[in-house]
Amino acid sequence: MARKRFDDSSCSVARALNEVGDWWSLLIVLQAMYGTRRFVDFQQELGIARNILVDRLCRLVDNDVLRKVDVGEHGPRFEYRLTDKGRDLFPVVIALRQWGDKYNPCPEKPPLDLRDRRTGQPVRQLEVQDAEGNPLSVRDVFVQEDPQDDTKQA
Amino acid sequence: MARKRFDDSSCSVARALNEVGDWWSLLIVLQAMYGTRRFVDFQQELGIARNILVDRLCRLVDNDVLRKVDVGEHGPRFEYRLTDKGRDLFPVVIALRQWGDKYNPCPEKPPLDLRDRRTGQPVRQLEVQDAEGNPLSVRDVFVQEDPQDDTKQA
DNA sequence: TAATAAGGTTGCTTAATGAAACCAGATTTC
DNA sequence: GAAATCTGGTTTCATTAAGCAACCTTATTA
């Protein structure tokens, strides 16, 4: 049967995964962050099947993560550009990258070295913080229960 | 054909997605962060098919994201608990949650209110920062090229 | 002794993935 | 000016994975 969707889930993580939680969407967003904008370039850099790429690009455009722009001087030529919503996936991608670098480093080459364009300094390790900026682990947080919230759902 | 895997990809994001990038794995990790540990509880709270749950739990255990513990006093009774590696997905989950809350809020109820257990203060918005703690956007960073790294791959 | 619970496994159906072929409009090349 | 090329797809088809429901085994409870 069809893959289950979470459009109406009360969990925002589930709803987020609904938009970018498949195998390709986040990688497409990542490529876009690297500067890729054209259909053929996504196809070649990711090695994704073309029909799947069409499907994912359309879905990302529908979900306002990418914007399809006709940049053709003579004849149609399209670019897929990140929207603000798409750019706001930056922390998600960085969090995944740092986790991957920590636990599944590539044996052959060092991890990609992301740096601040202005200072040349490396990007800081992401962490969940409290109001004062102190690091928080899973066990340090709780869900403030809402009186109206009768049932917890996925 | 089979879904493409990224085990050998040079991109750590791709390798990370290989482990937790399908529709269910991250939600299972999320549930585990909420405190769920038992097979039936995962099944009921997520509404996932049992065979798929078996598959995902096994994969997460294989990838050292979860640990399967026999807690049976008399007879087998199992718990699936987060490992350190699994707990380190906290920033990923929080980043996704904050993104989801910002762009796809649930119309009926307010977003889950995550708070610091110690102070009761809400969790701070995640952001990518430079060495001094200033926020960085996608456009503020670049990849420090490695001399040995001849080809960029997905 | 029967019923229930935990933790799966098996079979079946349907949906999604991937490869490759094809296609149409525009452009460059010969 | 005809042929080849590029871009951005669409179509077809074989394979795989997801979802559902039924079943199964061991252990506990009624």
Side-chain angles (χ1 to χ4, degrees):
Chain A
M1 269 222 166
R3 162 187 301 152
K4 188 163 288 193
R5 310 308 297 255
F6 308 102
D7 311 80
D8 53 349
S9 170
S10 66
C11 174
S12 59
V13 178
R15 291 198 311 282
L17 289 176
N18 217 21
E19 298 197 350
V20 295
D22 67 302
W23 290 91
W24 287 116
S25 297
L26 252 191
L27 288 177
I28 291 173
V29 169
L30 171 69
Q31 274 302 319
M33 287 177 180
Y34 283 158
T36 302
R37 298 178 156 193
R38 302 280 287 282
F39 186 90
V40 262
D41 295 332
F42 282 112
Q43 213 251 305
Q44 289 186 353
E45 306 207 48
L46 292 172
I48 182 176
R50 311 173 66 108
N51 48 353
I52 305 299
L53 178 57
V54 171
D55 180 80
R56 291 307 184 278
L57 287 174
C58 287
R59 198 142 78 200
L60 289 169
V61 168
D62 284 346
N63 288 332
D64 196 37
V65 172
L66 295 177
R67 214 172 57 248
K68 183 174 183 176
V69 184
D70 189 338
V71 294
E73 295 283 311
H74 16 249
R77 201 101 325 166
F78 299 108
E79 283 190 1
Y80 293 89
R81 298 186 189 160
L82 285 170
T83 61
D84 286 341
K85 180 176 176 183
R87 268 188 290 272
D88 272 356
L89 282 167
F90 194 43
V92 175
V93 170
I94 295 299
L96 269 173
R97 172 178 296 295
Q98 292 179 344
W99 185 79
D101 284 338
K102 181 169 180 183
Y103 290 103
N104 297 87
C106 189
E108 294 115 51
K109 34 181 98 169
L112 275 198
D113 193 11
L114 274 188
R115 286 168 178 272
D116 178 2
R117 200 182 290 283
R118 192 173 55 80
T119 66
Q121 294 283 84
V123 167
R124 184 182 277 196
Q125 186 77 15
L126 265 185
E127 58 182 17
V128 181
Q129 296 174 341
D130 68 11
E132 287 99 46
N134 305 306
L136 291 175
S137 78
V138 183
R139 298 191 253 224
D140 296 326
V141 304
F142 70 103
V143 175
Q144 175 84 318
E145 289 298 342
D146 181 63
Q148 290 94 284
D149 189 22
D150 40 351
T151 47
K152 188 174 73 175
Q153 261 184 294
Chain B
M1 271 223 161
R3 163 187 300 153
K4 187 164 289 192
R5 308 308 297 256
F6 307 103
D7 311 80
D8 53 348
S9 171
S10 65
C11 174
S12 58
V13 178
R15 292 198 310 283
L17 288 176
N18 216 22
E19 299 197 348
V20 295
D22 67 300
W23 290 93
W24 287 115
S25 296
L26 253 191
L27 288 178
I28 291 173
V29 169
L30 171 69
Q31 274 301 319
M33 288 178 180
Y34 284 158
T36 302
R37 299 177 154 193
R38 303 280 289 281
F39 185 89
V40 262
D41 294 332
F42 282 112
Q43 213 249 308
Q44 290 187 352
E45 305 209 49
L46 292 171
I48 183 177
R50 307 171 67 101
N51 49 351
I52 305 301
L53 179 56
V54 171
D55 181 79
R56 291 308 184 277
L57 287 174
C58 286
R59 197 140 80 202
L60 289 169
V61 168
D62 284 346
N63 288 332
D64 197 35
V65 173
L66 295 178
R67 215 171 57 247
K68 183 174 182 176
V69 184
D70 188 339
V71 295
E73 294 284 308
H74 16 248
R77 202 102 321 168
F78 300 108
E79 284 190 359
Y80 294 90
R81 298 186 190 162
L82 286 170
T83 61
D84 286 340
K85 180 175 175 183
R87 268 186 290 272
D88 272 355
L89 282 168
F90 193 43
V92 175
V93 169
I94 294 299
L96 269 173
R97 173 178 295 296
Q98 291 179 345
W99 185 79
D101 283 338
K102 180 169 180 184
Y103 291 102
N104 296 87
C106 189
E108 294 115 48
K109 34 181 97 169
L112 275 198
D113 193 11
L114 274 187
R115 287 168 179 270
D116 179 2
R117 201 182 289 283
R118 193 174 52 81
T119 66
Q121 293 284 86
V123 168
R124 186 183 276 198
Q125 186 77 16
L126 265 184
E127 58 182 16
V128 182
Q129 297 176 341
D130 68 11
E132 288 98 47
N134 306 306
L136 291 175
S137 78
V138 183
R139 298 190 251 224
D140 295 326
V141 304
F142 70 102
V143 174
Q144 174 85 315
E145 288 299 342
D146 181 64
Q148 290 94 284
D149 188 22
D150 41 351
T151 47
K152 188 175 73 177
Q153 264 185 292

